[in-house]
Structure formats: C-alpha cells, structure tokens
Amino acid sequence: MYPTRAEALGRFMKKGMCLFTLTLVVMLSPTAESQQVGGVAPGPAVGEVPFIFLPSPTVADADAARQPIPRLPDGTVDLTGPWVGGGSNVDIELEGGLKAGELPLLPWARELRAKRNKAEEPYTACLPMGVPRVNPYPWKFAMSYTPKGLTHIYLLHETGDAGAHRVIYMDGRAHPADPIPTWWGHSIGRWEEDTLVVDTVGYNDKFWFDSRGTPHTEQLHTVERYTRVNWGRLRHVFLLDDPGAFSRPVTLNFMARLLRSDLKTGGGELMEFICLEDNQYGAAAGIRPGTGTSNK
Amino acid sequence: MRTLLVMIVASVIAIPLFAQGLVSGQGGGGEQTGVLGPVNALGQDIRRPPPPTDPPPRLPDGTIDLGDGLWIGGGPGDMASGLPPGELLPLLPWAKALMEDRERRPSDDPYYWCLPMGVPRVTPYPWRFVQNYTIKPTHMFILHEAIIHTYRQIFMDGRKHPAELDPTWFGHSIGAWEKDTLVIDTVGYNDKFWFDRKGTPHTEQLHTIERWTRINRGTLVNAITIDDPGAYSKPFTVTFNARLAPPGDELMENFCQENNQFGIAGGHTHPFAR
C-alpha cells in the first residue's frame, strides 16, 4: 500500500530540503542518528549541507532473527530487501569501521579530500552516487526471474535518478578488456555459498565516496560481499582497491537493515523519488557539481 | 497448428501497424525512414535483421517470459499514430489548446530536462522487463536505458490501488496475467509528463490499462487504453509494438543529467520555473 497524503508527510519532508532542517540536523546529532539506523547506516550531512534526515524505519535488533532467511525455490538466498544503509554516505572511513586517519589515501588524494567543498559533490546535482555509497533511502536487489536462471541482478535505489539502477551480470561473463568508464562500472557477480560476491571495474572518477569528498581514480576495483546474516540484516564487506588513490587495498565493513513495513513510509516498498524534479540544491542554488580526480 | 495460429494472429495485428508506419524497432514510432530503414536518435540510418518469429520463451511456471532480452519501441513518439486508421484523439477543447501552445514551446517537454517520460512513452533507447525472482514473483520492474536511467515498479502480488495517491511520474501500477497477456493497470499519475514530443496532454485523472502480448519471440504488442475524462471526451486505445533487440544486447549506462546540452546549457527556461 502507498500512504495517503497525510501519512506520506513524513517521507515528503524527508525528501525535501529547507532551512528549518538546520535546526533538525543540530537536534539529531550524527552519532545518535547513526545508532538509531544501525550504527553503519548513513547519517545526516553536517556543517553547511543540511539534508533532512528522517530515518527510514528498519527492523529492530530484537526482531532481526525472528523469521528465517528467505530462499528462492532453488535454494539461493533471497537478498531482495528493501535494505537501508549498508554503505558509505558522510565519511567512508568512519562508516566503514576504520579509525580516523586509517584510510590509506595517497598524499595527493588526502589533499584533494581536504580541499573539496561539500557543496560541489555530484550527488547534490542528482548525479549517481556510485559504489559503495547509499543514501538515507531504501534500496533493493531485483533478482531477475528467467528461464535461464538468475542472469542479472539489478540494484534499485529509491532515488530514481541519483541512485537509478545498477546491473550485476550473473551469467558467468568476464569483465571487458577495456571498459568505458561509467558511474556504476562493469559488475560481475557470483555466489560463494550464501554470499553474493560482486566484482566491479570500469568506474569513472567523478563520484565521491562520501560527502566528505573521499576520492578515487579510474583504476578503482571493488569487491562487494553481501551476506544475509539473518532475516533483518545484510552484511556488506567491501574491498576497495585503487592504486591510483590508495597506498594499498583496504577492507571496509557495513551492515544494512531490512526496511520495516510501515504504512506511513511506503508500506515497505520503494517510493518514487525523482531528484531532478525540484532540486533546490544544485543549479537552483547556483551550485555547480565538482569534477573528477582527473580535473583536480 | 499452434505456431500457425500464432503467425496468423501476428499478421493480423502487425499489418495495420506496418500500414501506419509503426515498424517495430523504430523506437518512438511514427518517425522518419531513411534509405536503409528507420532513422535512429542520432540521425543515422540503421539496418537490422528481422525479429525472430518463433514462439516466445516461457518461465518454469509456464508464464510467458518478457524479460529475456531488451525491447525497443512499444510506446508512442506520437500518440495519435497508435490509433486505428481514420480515428482522431478525442481531445477536449482545453487539451487541444494546450497542445497547440506546447507546439510553440517544444523545449518545455520535461523529457528534455531529464525528467521521467511517464507512461506509455518510450525513447529510441532499449528497455527491459525484470520479474523479481522470489519464492513467488511479487514485483515486476521496467528498466529504461534513458532518458533517465531509472525504473518503473509494478506490483504483481494482487494488491489493489490505494484509495488516495500522491501523484507521481509513473503512478501506482498493479499487474496481472490474463492468459498470455500481461495487463498493467495504473492510476495516480501526475500531469507533468507529455505523452509524446507533440505535447499530447493528460490530467491527474489519467488511468491507463496496458496489455502486453508477446505474439512471438521477437515482437511484443502493447495495446494501451487511455482513460482520462479530464482531457479526453472518451477513453481510447492506441497500439504500438516493441521489437526484441539482438541477443547479447544489454542496457548501457545513460545519465541524461550528466551533460545535458539541451536545458539550461541550451539557453532554455525550465518549464516548471515559469
């Protein structure tokens, strides 16, 4: 069920942006907020970038193991979701479980991160947020049902344009030798027992890992490992390998929480959210999105 | 015998479509034809092998599979071109006037501003059906390569439309199979998108019923009933057909908003900023 207008007000507010959110952001400190959403879910942007952040309701810790992990008719784990969190948003270093300063950025990349202005992140201009970023809105796996089995898995984000859809090829193909750099790269997936392993290359260098501006280059190679540890939780172990911007590969840990079916917020479904429809943040505010590391 | 019947049905449906110039695979329908065949979005002539005519594939449960490849076309580039020969769009006077006004301001088409094209419009780019693989398929998605790289959601779990909806670009869609035809019933649209480049309008009262029939492997017919008492004097049905893209084709990444040279960059005023 979709909510009535009145019921949808909460979500409507979540999706808007206006001045009183400054107050809201101050009231909801990042620490308290991220704990509420699971310790690893995205928190509100800080400083001069006030996003409204009313968290999507998720299954509580006490209920996470209350139901069995669903499986497809062939025994494969059903990863559908929708999930909330499970990636970076504000600061990949802290959200990924590292201590401040532990992310092995090369000096130039550290410098670029310090220099980047939050207001110029491409995400605020409704451009795709890239991997492993998530926003405060839910996302889901669409596991395609075909006579040939599971040939593709699509990742759908509630932000229809900034998140859009991402494809993971599950048919055993290899990466192309020379992929054209794109926002979501070229992703191939396989199962290692109950873990979905997604290997991606061919990224452009335009998206930021977080609103802090953590950069990468076109040499980025990522390996995402998704394990549904119980009904309500999805572990994401993220290998970040980019010799262009990092001195060594680094592994980050995230946990996504199952969206709770709540009539006030879409009844457990992804709602329609077109960032470009009325973006008061980007061009309307005179802000031009930043460019990639190649144009530093 | 079954194959023969399918072929006869296919011919009966296809002949009027060809007669109207709605050659499948042409993209938006009713577009230019060049020396080699249909002229595509980039202005080049394209030559394609004929679509396969063998029976459509089925899922393990017997349902027709709509998701084994990419489709091109299946919706309007020009709404009126999908009408039976001789029929006109039953536009109410105000809607006709609006269309004439839009004709003078084609850059107001939200499509050119990287906004969703709504239903049943298609772009010259491919799209696909995805049937979510769960214990019982509960959702279908339609993924578009462009104009924004987004998706449309169809509930297949038997739910009804909610009593009151927030108007959206893709509305609230519920789907069901009637024999081998996928029927998608949608309400809750906003009135912002244009049905086509000509600016064929609608209101928030719009109710669409799409009937998708894969008459053979290579051809998917979409017969859409448009019911919008706010803009039309009576419901009408338009028919478009989609053509299967060659095997191995995949949706490419296309972000209109990345480098749109049409909107602000082209010196135009945003249609919603007037």
Side-chain angles (χ1 to χ4, degrees), chain B residues 210-254:
Chain B
E210 299 153 81
R211 290 173 188 277
W212 295 92
T213 312
R214 191 168 182 176
I215 55 171
N216 57 37
R217 180 180 290 273
T219 308
L220 180 61
V221 175
N222 184 18
I224 317 134
T225 300
I226 303 287
D227 177 14
D228 179 2
Y232 297 90
S233 60
K234 61 180 170 66
F236 60 95
T237 299
V238 281
T239 307
F240 301 95
N241 59 348
R243 170 199 178 111
L244 189 68
D249 273 19
E250 299 286 356
L251 295 181
M252 293 176 73
E253 192 180 284
N254 181 341

Side-chain angles (χ1 to χ4, degrees), chain A residues 143 157 183 206 272 277, chain B residues 132-133 151 192 253 258:
Chain A
M143 304 173 79
H157 287 273
W183 294 86
K206 294 178 182 173
E272 185 180 294
E277 181 172 348
Chain B
N132 197 35
Y133 188 97
Y151 59 90
K192 294 180 181 173
E253 192 180 284
E258 180 172 354

Side-chain angles (χ1 to χ4, degrees), chain B residues 11-12 15 24 37 41 65 74 124 146 160 163 168 191 219 252 271:
Chain B
S11 319
V12 168
I15 286 165
S24 60
D65 181 21
K160 306 282 178 216
T168 54
D191 60 2
T219 308
M252 293 176 73

Side-chain angles (χ1 to χ4, degrees), chain B residues 101-126:
Chain B
D101 184 47
R102 284 176 172 178
E103 201 176 351
R104 288 191 290 274
R105 298 189 299 188
S107 68
D108 277 7
D109 186 348
Y111 174 96
Y112 293 129
W113 295 83
C114 307
L115 287 164
M117 61 199 164
V119 178
R121 191 167 177 175
V122 295
T123 61
Y125 313 109

Side-chain angles (χ1 to χ4, degrees), chain A residues 5 8 71-72 126 128 142-143 145 147 152 154 157 160 164-165 173 182-184 206 269-270 272 277, chain B residues 65 128 131-133 135 139 144 149-151 153 159 164 166 168-170 192 250 253 255 257-258:
Chain A
R5 282 165 205 272
R71 288 182 183 269
L72 308 183
C126 308
M143 304 173 79
Y145 180 54
H152 300 69
Y154 296 93
H157 287 273
H165 70 257
R173 73 181 69 191
T182 55
W183 294 86
W184 295 108
K206 294 178 182 173
E269 302 286 357
L270 301 185
E272 185 180 294
E277 181 172 348
Chain B
D65 181 21
R128 83 181 309 156
Q131 182 146 13
N132 197 35
Y133 188 97
I135 292 170
H139 295 66
H144 289 278
H149 196 66
T150 192
Y151 59 90
Q153 175 166 245
R159 73 181 70 190
E164 192 188 358
D166 287 323
T168 54
W169 295 87
F170 291 116
K192 294 180 181 173
E250 299 286 356
E253 192 180 284
F255 287 105
Q257 68 268 37
E258 180 172 354

Side-chain angles (χ1 to χ4, degrees), chain A residues 121-159:
Chain A
E121 57 167 320
Y123 175 69
T124 58
C126 308
L127 285 162
M129 58 195 170
V131 177
R133 196 162 178 177
V134 294
N135 48 40
Y137 317 116
W139 56 277
K140 76 194 292 182
F141 291 101
M143 304 173 79
S144 66
Y145 180 54
T146 77
K148 294 176 189 158
L150 188 58
T151 54
H152 300 69
I153 296 180
Y154 296 93
L155 245 122
L156 310 178
H157 287 273
E158 188 167 270
T159 37

Side-chain angles (χ1 to χ4, degrees), chain B residues 179-201:
Chain B
K179 293 187 179 166
D180 282 348
T181 296
L182 173 67
V183 183
I184 304 174
D185 190 293
T186 309
V187 296
Y189 290 110
N190 70 29
D191 60 2
K192 294 180 181 173
F193 60 91
W194 297 12
F195 280 142
D196 52 28
R197 273 183 288 186
K198 289 183 161 177
T200 307

